[in-house]
């Protein structure tokens, strides 16, 4: 059973979500996560996906925004927690408190949602909203735990991405492709 959507939104709105309620020692993971974000940005750069305006949905404490500073002219974020958004804002032009439907005006060259989609109750309006905010040659970078990975059957209930109640969706590559196509995305690639 899932928590009601408002109950989950209330959890995400608290800085405590990052400070031990759902992540043990999240702040101690900054170096490792920053390294992961740098590697991800290099892969996106090789595909020609960087430059212009960035919107990160689910900015957390702003570490992806920080790592992306040399790749974009403007960097914006969205975050449900006002306290986390305040921390993230030092790494961006602006970080707006709220859901993806409250995104800043204009179109974006890259919209990133890293470890966000699995928390979304209804992925279709979420993804179609992203598609509508992309510039004509823009890219969406959606990162999710892969339920089709070799780790899931090996680790079973100890799989690190098996998180109840916060993870609502468990997707594999085929599921993602279906969602993206249904919401108007083309040139879908796994990187």
């Amino acid at each position: 059973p899932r928590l009601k959507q408002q109950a989950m939104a209330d959890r995400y709105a608290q800085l405590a979500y990052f400070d031990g309620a759902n992540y043990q020692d999240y702040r101690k993971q900054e170096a490792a996560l920053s390294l992961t974000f740098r590697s991800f940005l290099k892969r996106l750069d090789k595909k020609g996906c960087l430059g212009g305006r960035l919107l990160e949905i689910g900015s957390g404490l702003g570490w992806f925004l920080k790592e992306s500073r040399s790749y974009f002219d403007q960097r914006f974020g969205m975050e449900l927690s006002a306290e986390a958004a305040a921390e993230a804002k030092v790494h961006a032009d602006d970080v707006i408190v709220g859901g993806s439907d409250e995104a800043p005006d204009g179109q974006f060259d890259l919209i990133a949602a890293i470890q966000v989609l699995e928390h979304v109750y209804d992925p279709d309006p979420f993804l179609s909203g992203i598609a509508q905010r992309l510039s004509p040659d823009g890219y969406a970078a959606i990162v999710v735990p892969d339920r089709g990975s070799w780790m899931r059957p090996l680790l079973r209930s100890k799989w690190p991405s098996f998180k109840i109640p916060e993870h609502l969706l468990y997707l594999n590559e085929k599921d993602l492709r279906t969602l993206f196509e249904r919401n108007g995305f083309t040139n879908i690639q796994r990187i």
Side-chain angles (χ1 to χ4, degrees):
R2 303 193 296 183
L3 289 177
K4 301 275 186 214
Q5 191 168 357
Q6 187 58 51
M8 286 305 297
D10 292 344
R11 284 179 81 156
Y12 299 140
Q14 304 299 315
L15 187 61
Y17 177 78
F18 298 98
D19 286 338
N22 287 71
Y23 293 97
Q24 290 188 343
D25 299 321
Y26 184 79
R27 292 177 192 277
K28 291 181 181 177
Q29 296 177 39
E30 181 177 5
L33 288 171
S34 294
L35 183 63
T36 299
F37 294 148
R38 284 193 297 272
S39 173
F40 182 53
L41 284 160
K42 286 178 183 173
R43 290 193 324 241
L44 289 172
D45 194 27
K46 286 181 182 176
K47 294 282 188 177
C49 300
L50 303 182
R53 296 181 82 214
L54 165 69
L55 173 63
E56 182 188 17
I57 300 171
S59 300
L61 302 177
W63 301 335
F64 180 74
L65 292 167
K66 178 182 176 183
E67 294 302 326
S68 66
R69 70 184 169 271
S70 64
Y71 293 102
F72 294 93
D73 300 325
Q74 294 180 306
R75 296 177 328 281
F76 297 90
M78 305 285 311
E79 175 54 50
L80 292 175
S81 165
E83 294 92 349
E87 289 190 38
K89 193 170 184 173
V90 302
H91 305 297
D93 294 281
D94 196 11
V95 176
I96 295 169
V97 178
S100 62
D101 54 337
E102 300 170 41
D105 290 335
Q107 293 186 311
F108 296 90
D109 300 294
L110 178 71
I111 299 178
I114 301 169
Q115 304 292 327
V116 172
L117 187 60
E118 65 271 19
H119 299 261
V120 174
Y121 277 79
D122 191 351
D124 288 310
F126 178 81
L127 290 171
S128 67
I130 288 174
Q132 291 168 11
R133 288 182 179 89
L134 284 175
S135 66
D137 294 324
Y139 298 93
I142 311 295
V143 179
V144 297
D146 181 3
R147 78 172 169 90
S149 77
W150 61 269
M151 283 181 58
R152 192 188 57 79
L154 182 69
L155 298 175
R156 296 197 243 178
S157 65
K158 291 184 172 46
W159 182 46
S161 293
F162 187 62
K163 294 181 180 181
I164 295 176
E166 64 187 282
H167 286 187
L168 305 169
L169 303 171
Y170 293 95
L171 305 162
N172 62 22
E173 191 170 353
K174 182 181 176 189
D175 300 329
L176 283 169
R177 182 169 294 281
T178 299
L179 276 172
F180 292 141
E181 288 172 350
R182 191 165 63 212
N183 287 286
F185 289 92
T186 59
N187 193 19
I188 301 163
Q189 298 178 36
R190 180 182 184 143
I191 60 166

